Amino acid sequence: MFMNYNLAFDSRETDMSEQHATPVDTVLALVQRNSLTRLVGEALEKLILSGELSPGSKLNEAALAERLGVSRGPLREAFRTLAETGLIRQEKNRGAYVREIELAEAADIYDVRAGLDATAGRLLAGRITTAQLALLREFAAGMQRAAATNDVDAFHTLNLAFHDRIVEMTGNVALIDVYRRLVKQLALFRRRNLLAPRAIPHFADEHSAIVDRLAAGDGPGAAEALYQHAQGGRQRMLRDGELAAMPAAGEKHA
Amino acid sequence: MFMNYNLAFDSRETDMSEQHATPVDTVLALVQRNSLTRLVGEALEKLILSGELSPGSKLNEAALAERLGVSRGPLREAFRTLAETGLIRQEKNRGAYVREIELAEAADIYDVRAGLDATAGRLLAGRITTAQLALLREFAAGMQRAAATNDVDAFHTLNLAFHDRIVEMTGNVALIDVYRRLVKQLALFRRRNLLAPRAIPHFADEHSAIVDRLAAGDGPGAAEALYQHAQGGRQRMLRDGELAAMPAAGEKHA
DNA sequence: ATTTTGTAGATTGTCAACAATCTGCAATAA
DNA sequence: TTATTGCAGATTGTTGACAATCTACAAAAT
């Protein structure tokens, strides 16, 4: 009784690490451990974060259900999860839409994220291990290389991983959850992809400084460095956003 | 076509301010604006936060659906929302349970909350209005009175409102959402109800100091005061939990 | 006595049908 | 022409039924 679920749209699979397991094993384990609702939710999240479903898109229940090979029930439950995560917006009797995040909203999220980064740094400085430090230094070195070669994409990926790891290393599940939720929401704000290449070396240096503070066990220092670092990103985003929007007069941002 | 929903379990209603509207008006407006899923979710949240459904309780779908006068569909959707909020825990084919938060977990949440409080203070100090300041001073004064009369319940209520208002006054929706989510989760940890009466005056003084920093437009100072204030609450909780082995986080806040 | 196996009941997962609501367009009236 | 009204189709909200899974207890085997 294997229903023919269609939760991956394209041929490239999500994780090749378990490629050698038989198809039955993977499908069986997948469906047995994760509920259909969870699988649908992850599939939708992937579609949204990859941009395949762009902000503002209407999410038609019947169409999506058929596309995913699932009935509307699990899909609607997945919608509730995504709505709570902040990736979609639901209106009664109107349907669900991929959330649109405007500049001011993204700036607000950035403020919260900056605070979380600072909290992570303060927590981690007191308990970081040498192995963890080595890993972070590796990330920092990789970003220095990316900066030297002007590899914007590599830098961007490493940058996300670097900050995620810092948060993850705290072991504080509540912090990790909240942080990742906000990062996902920020990913909806696609305008910031214009990572200015000449700003990259500066950020790379800041990363190294952050690792130094963590290595020194300087909680407040790491917190401050991470906070200012995030605020720098926020400012850059605001500058780029205002340039793109080009308002006639100065925008009102409290 | 009015179904007989039974979303309020006991006679005391949630909000008496619109008592004079006809029943038809209220019910109509209620059901027309809010989906059944949302109403069910709010009803469940109330039951959980009030303790009527205590942590660890099994949430039987059929039983709860009948109790609320609703079918299982909306109830399950509400479950998804509550699970994402962190108030319930869902296991595949096993059901939903009111989330149990242990001491270490609550301490972690407190660390995040402390960081959010600090962020709120830093943001608010730069933009707080005199009217908002007056309101906060009113809260602070009320808590001083509660401290003087050893009115623990009143102090507790005002304390929650005070901190919620500070966060709310920032106008940062992302911050408000995250903060309230964490506060709700902490409410599941009921052991901290043992608010030691002799500690109350100290907290009341700290509140006044916080308002002073906000009034002075001292962002870092307000952040630091709020952070230390929250850490104090965390430490007290840990002491009461008799597991003071948890290390305190850094002292200073960037 | 202890462990294993098998069944019955209860519970959750999924689905498809029906009801309620919204949207867009055409017909009508001013 | 312009605004209003009234369908018809599409979409979401809700429900009850059926399938899959789990739990508990009893019977059987070691």
Side-chain angles (χ1 to χ4, degrees):
Chain A
M1 299 139 263
F2 286 105
M3 310 303 291
N4 193 8
Y5 297 134
N6 188 22
L7 295 168
F9 284 140
D10 38 17
S11 51
R12 51 181 152 81
E13 248 319 311
T14 60
D15 189 3
M16 290 301 184
S17 59
E18 302 221 341
Q19 191 174 2
H20 296 299
T22 74
V24 172
D25 276 356
T26 60
V27 168
L28 206 66
L30 203 69
V31 176
Q32 273 181 345
R33 219 165 294 287
N34 303 84
S35 73
L36 209 42
T37 296
R38 185 173 304 273
L39 293 176
V40 168
E42 288 171 6
L44 279 180
E45 183 177 307
K46 220 165 280 181
L47 287 175
I48 292 173
L49 295 182
S50 73
E52 196 162 341
L53 291 173
S54 53
S57 305
K58 172 82 186 294
L59 300 177
N60 183 291
E61 290 185 0
L64 259 182
E66 188 181 17
R67 186 177 172 188
L68 292 164
V70 172
S71 78
R72 285 171 55 216
L75 183 68
R76 283 173 60 92
E77 290 186 31
F79 275 4
R80 294 292 172 186
T81 299
L82 291 176
E84 197 60 31
T85 310
L87 291 185
I88 73 174
R89 165 179 54 90
Q90 286 181 300
E91 296 176 29
K92 179 179 161 81
N93 290 324
R94 300 286 304 275
Y97 302 82
V98 179
R99 182 172 168 200
E100 293 174 286
I101 293 190
E102 41 205 324
L103 185 60
E105 218 170 347
D108 277 355
I109 297 175
Y110 238 105
D111 274 332
V112 182
R113 199 197 139 211
L116 294 178
D117 277 330
T119 301
R122 195 184 309 106
L123 293 176
L124 185 58
R127 54 174 90 153
I128 194 168
T129 68
T130 55
Q132 291 174 327
L133 266 175
L135 182 59
L136 290 185
R137 285 203 193 282
E138 208 173 302
F139 276 116
M143 284 185 276
Q144 292 284 9
R145 281 193 299 274
T149 58
N150 262 348
D151 189 340
V152 178
D153 286 343
F155 184 88
H156 182 63
T157 303
L158 283 170
N159 185 39
L160 285 178
F162 176 76
H163 288 289
D164 186 82
R165 282 304 177 90
I166 288 180
V167 171
E168 190 180 50
M169 285 174 179
T170 65
N172 186 323
V173 176
L175 178 63
I176 296 169
D177 283 354
V178 168
Y179 178 83
R180 290 192 175 150
R181 191 193 311 270
L182 292 184
V183 167
K184 280 177 194 165
Q185 290 181 18
L186 278 176
L188 282 176
F189 190 74
R190 301 243 151 231
R191 271 188 275 177
R192 68 142 171 60
N193 277 355
L194 323 166
L195 188 58
R198 63 178 177 73
I200 289 185
H202 178 242
F203 285 129
D205 287 344
E206 287 187 339
H207 288 151
S208 300
I210 287 166
V211 179
D212 289 341
R213 300 298 181 115
L214 289 173
D218 176 11
E224 173 71 10
L226 276 158
Y227 183 77
Q228 292 305 333
H229 178 68
Q231 282 296 335
R234 177 181 182 275
Q235 287 306 106
R236 177 176 53 77
M237 182 184 71
L238 278 176
R239 228 180 1 255
D240 293 352
E242 275 165 17
L243 280 179
M246 249 309 151
E251 210 161 322
K252 59 154 183 107
H253 186 75
Chain B
M1 276 283 108
F2 286 105
M3 310 305 291
N4 193 7
Y5 297 135
N6 189 21
L7 295 168
F9 285 140
D10 38 16
S11 51
R12 50 185 152 79
E13 249 317 313
T14 60
D15 189 2
M16 290 301 183
S17 60
E18 302 221 341
Q19 192 175 359
H20 296 299
T22 73
V24 171
D25 276 357
T26 60
V27 166
L28 207 67
L30 204 69
V31 175
Q32 272 182 346
R33 218 160 291 289
N34 303 84
S35 71
L36 210 41
T37 297
R38 186 173 305 273
L39 294 176
V40 168
E42 287 170 6
L44 280 179
E45 183 177 306
K46 220 166 279 179
L47 287 174
I48 292 173
L49 294 182
S50 74
E52 196 162 341
L53 290 173
S54 54
S57 305
K58 173 80 186 291
L59 300 177
N60 184 292
E61 291 185 1
L64 259 181
E66 188 181 16
R67 188 176 170 187
L68 292 163
V70 172
S71 77
R72 286 172 54 217
L75 183 68
R76 285 172 59 91
E77 289 186 30
F79 276 3
R80 295 292 173 186
T81 299
L82 291 176
E84 198 60 31
T85 309
L87 291 185
I88 73 174
R89 165 179 53 88
Q90 285 181 300
E91 298 176 28
K92 180 180 161 80
N93 289 325
R94 301 285 305 274
Y97 302 81
V98 178
R99 181 171 168 201
E100 294 174 284
I101 292 190
E102 42 205 323
L103 185 60
E105 219 169 347
D108 277 356
I109 297 175
Y110 238 105
D111 274 332
V112 183
R113 197 196 142 215
L116 294 178
D117 276 330
T119 300
R122 195 181 307 107
L123 293 177
L124 185 58
R127 54 173 93 151
I128 194 168
T129 68
T130 56
Q132 291 173 327
L133 267 175
L135 182 58
L136 289 184
R137 286 204 192 282
E138 207 173 302
F139 276 117
M143 284 185 274
Q144 291 284 7
R145 282 193 300 273
T149 59
N150 261 349
D151 189 342
V152 178
D153 286 344
F155 184 87
H156 182 63
T157 303
L158 284 170
N159 185 38
L160 286 178
F162 176 76
H163 288 289
D164 186 81
R165 282 303 176 90
I166 287 180
V167 172
E168 191 180 48
M169 284 173 179
T170 65
N172 186 321
V173 176
L175 178 62
I176 296 169
D177 283 353
V178 168
Y179 178 83
R180 289 192 176 149
R181 192 194 311 269
L182 292 184
V183 167
K184 281 178 194 164
Q185 290 180 16
L186 279 176
L188 282 176
F189 190 73
R190 300 247 150 225
R191 272 188 274 179
R192 70 144 169 58
N193 278 354
L194 320 167
L195 188 57
R198 63 177 177 73
I200 290 185
H202 178 243
F203 286 129
D205 289 344
E206 286 187 339
H207 288 151
S208 300
I210 287 166
V211 179
D212 289 341
R213 300 298 180 116
L214 289 174
D218 177 12
E224 172 71 11
L226 276 158
Y227 182 77
Q228 291 304 332
H229 179 67
Q231 281 296 332
R234 177 181 182 274
Q235 287 304 103
R236 179 177 53 77
M237 182 183 73
L238 281 175
R239 243 194 330 273
D240 294 351
E242 229 114 16
L243 211 135
M246 303 301 283
E251 300 90 27
K252 205 158 171 250
H253 184 73

